[in-house]
Amino acid sequence: MDKKPVIAPKGRQQPRVKIEDVARKANVSPATVSRVLNHPDIVRPELRDRVMRHINDLSYTRDSAARALKSGRMRTVGVIVPTLALGIFAEGVEALQNRLSESGYTLFIANSQYDQRREFQELQSLIERGIDGIVLVGASHGRELRSLIEQAGVPVITTYVAKAGGGIPAIGIDNESATREMTEYLLRLGHVRFGAIANVVAASNDRSRARLEGIQRALSDAGLPLKPTQIVKADYSLAQGRSALRGLLTDHPDTTAVICTTDTLAIGAMAEARKMGLSVPATLSITGFDDVELAAQMDPPLTTVSVPAAEIGRGAADYLINAIAGSPVPRSVVLPYRLVMRSSSAPPRPSVRPARRGRSRDH
Amino acid sequence: MDKKPVIAPKGRQQPRVKIEDVARKANVSPATVSRVLNHPDIVRPELRDRVMRHINDLSYTRDSAARALKSGRMRTVGVIVPTLALGIFAEGVEALQNRLSESGYTLFIANSQYDQRREFQELQSLIERGIDGIVLVGASHGRELRSLIEQAGVPVITTYVAKAGGGIPAIGIDNESATREMTEYLLRLGHVRFGAIANVVAASNDRSRARLEGIQRALSDAGLPLKPTQIVKADYSLAQGRSALRGLLTDHPDTTAVICTTDTLAIGAMAEARKMGLSVPATLSITGFDDVELAAQMDPPLTTVSVPAAEIGRGAADYLINAIAGSPVPRSVVLPYRLVMRSSSAPPRPSVRPARRGRSRDH
DNA sequence: TCTCGATCTGAAAACGATTTCAGCGTTAGG
DNA sequence: CCTAACGCTGAAATCGTTTTCAGATCGAGA
């Protein structure tokens, strides 16, 4: 009843059991205890067991700070994602953490909110913390960030992209090629009047930028280059998907296919289409990117590109674990994406000729 | 060209600049450099500036391991969430990290996959890493976990619930009361045949369990207790929401209101209802919990309970920062939830009496 | 019985920063 | 001009492990 009020304990109240205490109890030297912990195979089994028993008795755990100081390794990895709000990143981080945990590593997490300056600051803070490896997202980072990494001499890998500049290894998919394929698929279906909704407002979002380029390239190659007004820039919110579609159809009412660089945008677009009384895919085909859980459950189910987020996370973990250990590591890993054709895309309605207005202007 | 092949560097290649190097360059003692860094106000300004210049010149950063060893504080906090796949947790973690980062703390993240054993292991690993504070989710944790925390003497706070056992402080909402209110609202609308879909398969999911209890209590109080078959247990996936609704309506085709303990389940249920040709809310009212971004964008928009996830994350950060500093902290914080009435709920259709089959069986 | 190896184990020196304690120089007051 | 007091700075101890290096122990072979 007379314990301190609502004040949290100042320091550890019990003076922390250290390796020396265990050593004394077990009648061995601290060195032996350390060996039992770190190289169990080089100490005589009976002695090892005895020491182990005392370790458990005292429920001794080593001080990671001292350990890190002496050994120079923190057994810690950091990750900086743009945001956790996107399921695709959350999934990757979760897989990353799980794999690291299996190998005795712990994961520091930070988020940049798509802001390069913040990314730099967070990275600085992580490096000061002595992390052994770092996971980044995307290919575009400030050059000062790259020099910071280089100077720190910490292994790094960037994710969700197939390649990154500045000699940084990458694990991910070829975003541009994915949307190019998607666009070609829609072209094959017979579409000729396209629109694109891309979350490219954040300067650092090179994934969506690459995806947009894939769309543009495919359409240029088909002789149907996108006019600026056929491209709507958005952020990553559902609501922006809605307004983007509305804007797009205001400028180009005869559009038959809308390609979004994100499922979230596509879902927003679908919601808006429904509200506008447009039927998907009969009058409008819509496609997304990421294949989030909801995509398959939409009505109609969303045609999209499946991104192997968990595999990316696991791969990044493996890469860093090897790199830290000094094992050989691949330069970059390109993972396969998968086009998932569902019912939100279909051939354009053949009978209707809603293009009259556009056509008449041409001749 | 003759740099080592694909082998990562073994240790830091540059031998790391330490405090002594700075001291030598600046012609002062290491002690002074340390003081410049930690207590700038007690060192003569001109000298301080000189030292600072050399610190920058050499781009010296202190070794956090040594610092932590000597000072006993890691400036690090850990969080264990069930999963990051749920936006509600991702949002909280993001807010938590942002607030901690502002105060110079870094966040370790781990996930338990709703498994108490795993939660214990991850916590153990975090504590061994010397974290200064820990954030948990929910009220139900093994007693060995509680004793581990106590023994480590680390401040802890649990989140998303209004109170937790074992003297652990909490920050969150009163889940039971929220669903009770929601149920009462549906009762007032005139519903009498209810169904509940709850993600309670995970033993440790006390949030959903409390929510389910809220539903049951309200209905019991109204003299309409739920039969076991009116409660469908699920996990947290959209697909389970679908199959749960199907199962529920198979057993009780005359149901007019379905209360879900999660938006994800509710969205799945809505998708299934649409597929079954049932119109929401005309023949079936559906409600969720969490108010995820998508809830407002559904067709019809989903009636749900809004959970202040970001505020929970920030509050947890503030709590721990204060507790670690030894400042007074509140025992627990109950945050307000908010019932968000949208169009997925409405009075039951008065004219229709689809209950015939069920009724005939009764008499 | 003695010596040579082969194993294990212990003593002690790091790892890099923080902080106490004491000493130095300077200024103010007598 | 001398002493007291104050403000800064430096020397050195310390935090808890890991690891090198050497010493001890034991068995086997001569």
Side-chain angles (χ1 to χ4, degrees), chain B residues 10 44 247:
Chain B
K10 205 56 194 255
R44 195 158 35 99

Side-chain angles (χ1 to χ4, degrees), chain A residues 6-14 59 61-66 68-69 73-76 83-85 90 93-94 97-98 101 104-111 113 118 122 125-126 128-131 151-154 237-239 242 264 267 271 274 293-294 297 299 323 325-329, chain B residues 6-14 59 61-66 68-69 73-76 83-85 90 93-94 97-98 101 104-111 113 118 122 125-126 128-131 151-154 237-239 242 264 267 271 274 293-294 297 299 323 325-329:
Chain A
V6 280
I7 304 284
K10 208 47 194 260
R12 314 205 173 288
Q13 49 271 71
Q14 300 106 325
S59 68
T61 64
R62 28 188 179 188
D63 181 316
S64 71
L69 172 59
R73 308 240 72 79
M74 278 292 242
R75 309 223 96 206
T76 276
T83 174
L84 279 177
V93 167
E94 188 158 308
Q97 193 265 321
N98 288 341
S101 171
Y105 280 83
T106 310
L107 179 66
F108 276 127
I109 192 170
N111 67 289
Q113 307 286 8
R118 250 196 85 171
E122 294 286 357
S125 148
L126 287 176
E128 278 185 17
R129 283 235 162 11
I131 53 169
Q151 173 183 345
V154 176
S237 74
L238 249 168
R242 301 192 79 134
T264 307
I267 290 168
R274 170 190 304 263
E293 186 194 9
L294 183 63
Q297 311 287 342
D299 176 34
S327 311
V329 285
Chain B
V6 280
I7 305 284
K10 205 56 194 255
R12 313 202 175 288
Q13 49 271 69
Q14 300 108 326
S59 67
T61 64
R62 7 178 203 202
D63 181 316
S64 71
L69 172 59
R73 308 237 74 76
M74 278 292 245
R75 308 225 98 205
T76 276
T83 173
L84 279 177
V93 167
E94 187 158 308
Q97 194 264 321
N98 289 340
S101 170
Y105 280 83
T106 310
L107 179 65
F108 275 128
I109 191 169
N111 68 289
Q113 307 286 6
R118 248 195 87 170
E122 294 285 356
S125 148
L126 287 177
E128 278 184 20
R129 282 233 159 16
I131 52 170
Q151 173 183 343
V154 177
S237 74
L238 248 167
R242 302 194 79 135
T264 307
I267 290 167
R274 169 189 304 262
E293 186 193 11
L294 183 63
Q297 310 288 343
D299 177 34
S327 312
V329 286

Side-chain angles (χ1 to χ4, degrees), chain B residues 15-24 33 58 60-61 63:
Chain B
R16 183 176 184 83
V17 27
K18 37 185 154 179
I19 204 171
E20 201 188 322
D21 302 328
V22 179
R24 197 163 351 173
V33 179
L58 299 176
Y60 163 78
T61 64
D63 181 316

Side-chain angles (χ1 to χ4, degrees), chain B residues 175-188:
Chain B
N175 288 281
E176 180 182 336
S177 142
T179 44
R180 186 158 9 145
E181 270 192 53
M182 178 63 87
T183 308
E184 286 163 356
Y185 153 76
L186 290 167
L187 283 165
R188 277 198 304 279

Side-chain angles (χ1 to χ4, degrees), chain B residues 113-130:
Chain B
Q113 307 286 6
Y114 286 104
D115 176 352
Q116 292 208 3
R117 218 180 49 234
R118 248 195 87 170
E119 182 178 43
F120 182 80
Q121 288 164 352
E122 294 285 356
L123 177 64
Q124 203 161 29
S125 148
L126 287 177
I127 285 181
E128 278 184 20
R129 282 233 159 16

Side-chain angles (χ1 to χ4, degrees), chain A residues 29-359:
Chain A
S29 78
T32 300
V33 179
S34 173
R35 273 186 285 254
V36 167
L37 254 10
N38 298 308
H39 314 280
D41 41 320
I42 69 166
V43 45
R44 196 157 33 99
E46 47 202 14
L47 182 56
R48 184 205 315 157
D49 293 348
R50 175 154 60 95
V51 172
M52 261 308 190
R53 219 172 25 250
H54 285 102
I55 288 178
N56 290 329
D57 280 4
L58 299 176
S59 68
Y60 163 79
T61 64
R62 28 188 179 188
D63 181 316
S64 71
R67 187 170 148 79
L69 172 59
K70 184 59 190 155
S71 66
R73 308 240 72 79
M74 278 292 242
R75 309 223 96 206
T76 276
V77 163
V79 60
I80 307 178
V81 292
T83 174
L84 279 177
L86 256 39
I88 195 86
F89 293 137
E91 189 184 346
V93 167
E94 188 158 308
L96 176 68
Q97 193 265 321
N98 288 341
R99 187 66 132 229
L100 288 173
S101 171
E102 288 168 12
S103 299
Y105 280 83
T106 310
L107 179 66
F108 276 127
I109 192 170
N111 67 289
S112 69
Q113 307 286 8
Y114 285 103
D115 177 351
Q116 291 208 3
R117 220 181 47 236
R118 250 196 85 171
E119 182 179 43
F120 181 80
Q121 289 165 351
E122 294 286 357
L123 177 64
Q124 204 162 28
S125 148
L126 287 176
I127 285 181
E128 278 185 17
R129 283 235 162 11
I131 53 169
D132 301 321
I134 174 90
V135 178
L136 260 26
V137 168
S140 59
H141 308 283
R143 51 179 283 92
E144 62 177 346
L145 182 140
R146 282 208 303 282
S147 82
L148 175 61
I149 288 174
E150 192 156 342
Q151 173 183 345
V154 176
V156 62
I157 185 167
T158 184
T159 53
Y160 293 90
V161 291
K163 52 174 169 285
I168 297 180
I171 178 168
I173 64 166
D174 184 335
N175 288 281
E176 179 182 334
S177 142
T179 44
R180 184 156 13 143
E181 270 191 52
M182 178 63 87
T183 308
E184 286 164 357
Y185 153 76
L186 290 167
L187 283 166
R188 277 198 304 278
L189 286 184
H191 290 277
V192 287
R193 289 180 299 276
F194 286 83
I197 302 177
N199 61 330
V200 291
V201 299
S204 62
N205 194 336
D206 52 279
R207 277 88 57 217
S208 266
R209 189 154 293 123
R211 293 173 194 174
L212 179 55
E213 278 166 19
I215 301 169
Q216 291 176 298
R217 190 145 319 178
L219 290 177
S220 291
D221 289 356
L224 296 165
L226 283 178
K227 297 181 208 118
T229 53
Q230 290 176 292
I231 302 171
V232 185
K233 300 180 199 311
D235 67 11
Y236 56 89
S237 74
L238 249 168
Q240 293 241 340
R242 301 192 79 134
S243 58
L245 184 77
R246 182 170 289 275
L248 186 64
L249 291 183
T250 304
D251 287 355
H252 302 274
D254 53 355
T255 303
T256 65
V258 175
I259 307 174
C260 305
T261 64
T262 278
D263 273 1
T264 307
L265 290 174
I267 290 168
M270 279 183 64
E272 188 64 19
R274 170 190 304 263
K275 193 173 167 203
M276 294 171 72
L278 270 48
S279 96
V280 176
T283 57
L284 194 64
S285 286
I286 295 181
T287 69
F289 206 114
D290 286 346
D291 197 21
V292 299
E293 186 194 9
L294 183 63
Q297 311 287 342
M298 293 293 290
D299 176 34
L302 182 66
T303 292
T304 186
V305 178
S306 170
V307 176
E311 216 172 318
I312 290 175
R314 276 194 298 273
D318 289 341
Y319 176 94
L320 287 182
I321 291 168
N322 283 325
I324 292 167
S327 311
V329 285
R331 188 99 223 99
S332 277
V333 179
V334 181
L335 259 24
Y337 52 83
R338 206 159 42 79
L339 261 59
V340 185
M341 311 311 189
R342 300 205 184 93
S343 334
S344 74
S345 55
R349 215 180 339 206
S351 52
V352 189
R353 300 217 116 220
R356 206 174 313 151
R357 205 155 42 116
R359 284 270 167 92

